[in-house]
Amino acid sequence: MSEGRRGPASASTQPNPFEHGAELVQTSDPIKIEPIKTECRDGEEQGCRYPGLKSARKRKRGTDCTGSEIMEKKEDNLTASTPRSRPFAPLPRSKSQGKPLANTTVVDTRITRYEASWYQEVDLGKVVKRSDLQTLLYTAELIKKALRAVETGHDRHVAFSILRRRLHQVEFYDFITEILVVKSKLLDEQGFPAVFDNAALPWDLRADALMLFKKWCFRQWDPDLLRGIVTKKGTTAKDKIVNTRSIQKDYPFKVSANYVGAGDLINGQWWPLQICTLRDGAHGTPEGGIYGQAKKGAYSIIMSGGGYSDIDEGDRIQYCGTSGEDKPTALTERMLESFKLQNPIRVLRSAALSGKHSKYRPSMGLRYDGIYQITGYELLDQGTSMYRFSLMRCAGQDPIRYQGEEIRPTEEELNQYGKIQARLGSSG
């Protein structure tokens, strides 16, 4: 299939390329996204500029996000040689549970100096390490230099590049405490806000400064990529070493993914593993590509290939539902509901996407690439109730961060996860 041959144009102007017949449904209404209102957390001052993160709560393609089982008939004796039983989706895999892992142990994946400081009461009168404070004060000085470069026009690219690298490094400082943040004044108007409020600065600098500002306002000092994730290492019956992961019980910063829109996510935000997107409220399941709630539609999808007939053109994507029998699956219904409600959907891209099919995929892990809206859908195959949905990226967002200096994951993110992988002695 050639890229770009099917888009938001009228169905009557498009040829029918599907041998099983394609029914195209589209909307002629322009995309209109209302501002998403966010309420302050209980106990916070109403009208606060940055409301607190809401604490929260496995769905595979084929399991409803509410946890209820989706009843589907199993196809008997289905093998890879079965001729086009599921022409637009991968063949179903065996769901055998297997035997429990043996010799299971919890693995410490932390590569930072100490436990996250928000678990403890911070003594504001405590003497801080001078070198740590100087490091943050130097960050504040780099912000001032970037702002002066905007005013004077001198050495703009150099100043911006140095600040960009520094912001990427600050994300992984393991010495941040409340008193250091206060003394550095990075949360004051002359700090991070001076960056993300200045339209003359590069958009990626503004986004990175805003992300750090939000994390620190919520007192999330922990820089560990796998914070809140419990990793267990064990062996299978065939002595194969595997890693399993779950979110730490009572992790205080888990965010619910049951909301429409971007929430507190920042365009380009990156995670090494899908379970991390569940932790941070970007996608509500550790496995599977569609997440939503009945009658409320889909909240988020992941572009990850996997044998589906998806097409990725950046601001325009075509995304398949799941294979059913006589009617659409529950997950496909979530997408159909979103089309009816015209709710925006969060889109994440996975490194699992084929490079020849998507130049927009991250080099590793998963990346949040903004909100999209379903503009139409087509029925690819009547027998499996396979639908494919056309989505357009909503206007007013920063570009997708897949190239150039603004690319995510950053060099620092890749280095940090490389250290975790080395500790595990495997691909992580």
Side-chain angles (χ1 to χ4, degrees):
M1 286 182 265
S2 60
E3 291 189 357
R5 59 167 177 72
R6 182 176 295 276
S10 171
S12 61
T13 64
Q14 296 289 342
N16 182 353
F18 303 105
E19 59 182 359
H20 294 274
E23 176 188 347
L24 181 62
V25 181
Q26 293 187 302
T27 175
S28 58
D29 297 331
I31 296 176
K32 295 180 180 179
I33 301 299
E34 297 295 331
I36 299 169
K37 297 180 181 179
T38 310
E39 298 179 357
C40 293
R41 186 170 50 187
D42 292 342
E44 291 183 337
E45 181 181 355
Q46 292 298 315
C48 59
R49 185 175 184 184
Y50 299 99
L53 290 175
K54 299 176 182 177
S55 63
R57 87 169 228 135
K58 155 173 165 194
R59 172 196 58 77
K60 298 182 181 179
R61 289 194 171 191
T63 306
D64 197 351
C65 64
T66 61
S68 59
E69 184 180 359
I70 300 170
M71 301 303 296
E72 296 182 4
K73 297 179 181 179
K74 295 183 179 179
E75 300 181 51
D76 295 330
N77 302 322
L78 182 61
T79 66
S81 62
T82 303
R84 306 304 293 167
S85 298
R86 294 152 62 94
F88 300 97
L91 295 174
R93 294 179 292 181
S94 170
K95 295 184 178 180
S96 58
Q97 297 295 326
K99 296 181 180 179
L101 300 179
N103 306 318
T104 303
T105 57
V106 177
V107 181
D108 181 13
T109 61
R110 183 173 296 280
I111 57 175
T112 51
R113 262 195 274 169
Y114 56 86
E115 291 284 338
S117 61
W118 59 70
Y119 292 115
Q120 306 171 12
E121 289 290 331
V122 179
D123 181 6
L124 295 180
K126 181 180 178 181
V127 177
V128 299
K129 191 174 180 179
R130 181 178 176 84
S131 60
D132 291 343
L133 178 57
Q134 288 300 319
T135 298
L136 291 188
L137 290 176
Y138 180 62
T139 302
E141 182 61 30
L142 291 179
I143 292 176
K144 294 178 182 178
K145 290 182 178 180
L147 296 176
R148 283 197 296 268
V150 169
E151 296 176 356
T152 64
H154 295 153
D155 298 324
R156 290 165 60 98
H157 180 74
V158 173
F160 297 162
S161 294
I162 293 175
L163 179 58
R164 179 180 291 109
R165 180 65 185 273
R166 173 54 63 125
L167 292 179
H168 296 170
Q169 293 171 339
V170 170
E171 184 180 355
F172 296 103
Y173 286 167
D174 59 5
F175 54 80
I176 304 300
T177 61
E178 193 170 80
I179 179 107
L180 279 173
V181 170
V182 171
K183 289 189 174 184
S184 70
K185 299 184 178 180
L186 284 172
L187 296 186
D188 294 350
E189 290 302 314
Q190 66 268 39
F192 294 144
V195 179
F196 61 74
D197 281 339
N198 193 324
L201 288 170
W203 57 268
D204 64 300
L205 280 181
R206 299 172 63 196
D208 292 342
L210 179 58
M211 185 171 67
L212 284 169
F213 180 81
K214 284 188 173 185
K215 287 180 64 177
W216 288 10
C217 279
F218 301 143
R219 293 176 42 153
Q220 291 193 36
W221 321 125
D222 193 345
D224 187 14
L225 286 170
L226 299 187
R227 56 188 176 276
I229 306 297
V230 178
T231 300
K232 293 184 179 181
K233 199 170 188 177
T235 56
T236 66
K238 295 182 179 181
D239 293 328
K240 179 182 178 181
I241 299 177
V242 297
N243 299 316
T244 61
R245 294 182 177 86
S246 60
I247 297 181
Q248 172 189 324
K249 253 188 177 181
D250 302 322
Y251 177 64
F253 295 100
K254 185 177 184 297
V255 184
S256 171
N258 295 338
Y259 62 92
V260 175
D264 283 308
L265 300 176
I266 301 297
N267 180 57
Q269 197 165 335
W270 177 83
W271 302 270
L273 302 168
Q274 187 165 332
I275 194 171
C276 298
T277 71
L278 172 61
R279 175 198 64 199
D280 293 345
H283 191 65
T285 172
E287 298 181 37
I290 302 174
Y291 181 75
Q293 289 182 302
K295 299 182 180 180
K296 296 182 181 180
Y299 296 135
S300 57
I301 62 175
I302 295 179
M303 294 283 293
S304 60
Y308 288 87
S309 298
D310 299 339
I311 299 175
D312 186 3
E313 297 175 323
D315 288 346
R316 180 177 64 182
I317 62 177
Q318 295 185 51
Y319 187 84
C320 290
T322 53
S323 292
E325 292 289 340
D326 300 327
K327 61 181 181 179
T329 64
L331 300 179
T332 299
E333 287 286 0
R334 301 293 84 79
M335 298 293 285
L336 291 169
E337 288 167 352
S338 285
F339 173 71
K340 180 179 180 180
L341 296 170
Q342 284 295 284
N343 287 337
I345 298 175
R346 298 186 293 277
V347 172
L348 290 79
R349 283 182 172 84
S350 167
L353 273 169
S354 171
K356 64 180 180 180
H357 292 131
S358 177
K359 66 180 182 180
Y360 303 96
R361 71 184 183 119
S363 59
M364 180 180 287
L366 304 97
R367 185 187 63 226
Y368 169 65
D369 285 340
I371 54 175
Y372 287 62
Q373 192 168 34
I374 299 177
T375 59
Y377 60 84
E378 53 196 342
L379 178 60
L380 298 185
D381 183 59
Q382 185 74 45
T384 58
S385 297
M386 172 55 71
Y387 288 76
R388 185 165 66 181
F389 299 85
S390 296
L391 294 90
M392 289 292 294
R393 197 165 189 261
C394 298
Q397 303 179 90
D398 289 339
I400 300 170
R401 301 184 66 168
Y402 73 100
Q403 63 181 351
E405 290 184 304
E406 68 270 14
I407 192 171
R408 300 292 295 268
T410 66
E411 182 181 340
E412 291 296 327
E413 288 170 327
L414 293 174
N415 287 341
Q416 290 292 318
Y417 191 55
K419 294 177 182 178
I420 294 175
Q421 290 176 311
R423 170 161 292 188
L424 289 171
S426 69
S427 60

